[in-house]
Coordinates of all heavy atoms in Angstrom, one line a residue:
Q340 N -5.2 18.1 -8.5 CA -5.7 19.1 -9.5 C -7.2 19.2 -9.4 O -7.7 19.9 -10.3 CB -5.3 18.6 -10.9 CG -3.8 18.5 -11.1 CD -3.0 19.8 -10.7 OE1 -3.6 20.9 -10.9 NE2 -1.8 19.6 -10.2
F341 N -7.9 18.7 -8.4 CA -9.3 19.0 -8.2 C -9.5 20.5 -7.9 O -8.6 21.1 -7.2 CB -9.9 18.2 -7.1 CG -10.2 16.7 -7.4 CD1 -9.6 16.1 -8.5 CD2 -11.1 16.0 -6.7 CE1 -9.9 14.8 -8.9 CE2 -11.4 14.7 -6.9 CZ -10.8 14.1 -8.1
S342 N -10.5 21.0 -8.4 CA -10.8 22.4 -7.9 C -11.2 22.3 -6.4 O -11.5 21.2 -5.9 CB -12.0 23.0 -8.7 OG -13.2 22.3 -8.4
L343 N -11.2 23.4 -5.7 CA -11.6 23.4 -4.3 C -13.0 22.9 -4.1 O -13.3 22.1 -3.2 CB -11.5 24.8 -3.7 CG -11.6 25.0 -2.2 CD1 -10.7 24.0 -1.5 CD2 -11.4 26.4 -1.8
D344 N -14.0 23.3 -5.0 CA -15.4 22.8 -4.9 C -15.3 21.2 -5.1 O -16.1 20.5 -4.4 CB -16.2 23.4 -6.0 CG -16.6 24.9 -5.6 OD1 -16.4 25.3 -4.4 OD2 -17.0 25.6 -6.5
E345 N -14.6 20.8 -6.1 CA -14.5 19.3 -6.3 C -13.9 18.6 -5.1 O -14.3 17.5 -4.7 CB -13.6 19.0 -7.5 CG -14.3 19.4 -8.8 CD -13.4 19.2 -10.0 OE1 -12.2 19.4 -9.9 OE2 -13.9 18.9 -11.1
L346 N -12.9 19.2 -4.5 CA -12.3 18.6 -3.3 C -13.2 18.5 -2.1 O -13.3 17.4 -1.5 CB -11.1 19.5 -2.9 CG -10.2 19.0 -1.8 CD1 -9.5 17.7 -2.2 CD2 -9.2 20.1 -1.4
L347 N -14.0 19.5 -1.9 CA -15.0 19.5 -0.8 C -16.1 18.5 -1.1 O -16.6 17.8 -0.2 CB -15.5 20.9 -0.5 CG -14.4 22.0 -0.1 CD1 -15.0 23.3 0.2 CD2 -13.6 21.4 1.1
A348 N -16.5 18.5 -2.3 CA -17.6 17.6 -2.7 C -17.1 16.1 -2.6 O -17.9 15.2 -2.1 CB -18.1 17.8 -4.2
Q349 N -15.9 15.9 -2.9 CA -15.3 14.5 -2.8 C -15.3 14.2 -1.2 O -15.6 13.0 -0.9 CB -13.9 14.5 -3.3 CG -13.2 13.1 -3.0 CD -11.8 13.1 -3.5 OE1 -11.4 12.5 -4.4 NE2 -10.9 13.9 -2.8
A350 N -15.0 15.1 -0.4 CA -15.0 14.9 1.0 C -16.4 14.4 1.6 O -16.6 13.5 2.4 CB -14.5 16.1 1.8
D351 N -17.4 15.1 1.0 CA -18.8 14.8 1.4 C -19.1 13.4 0.9 O -19.8 12.6 1.6 CB -19.8 15.8 0.8 CG -19.6 17.2 1.4 OD1 -19.1 17.3 2.5 OD2 -20.0 18.2 0.8
D352 N -18.7 13.1 -0.3 CA -19.0 11.7 -0.8 C -18.3 10.6 0.0 O -18.9 9.6 0.2 CB -18.5 11.6 -2.3 CG -18.9 10.3 -3.0 OD1 -20.1 9.9 -2.9 OD2 -17.9 9.7 -3.5

Side-chain angles (χ1 to χ4, degrees):
Q340 300 306 328
F341 281 21
S342 70
L343 189 53
D344 287 343
E345 289 172 327
L346 185 67
L347 300 181
Q349 176 185 248
D351 292 338
D352 184 53

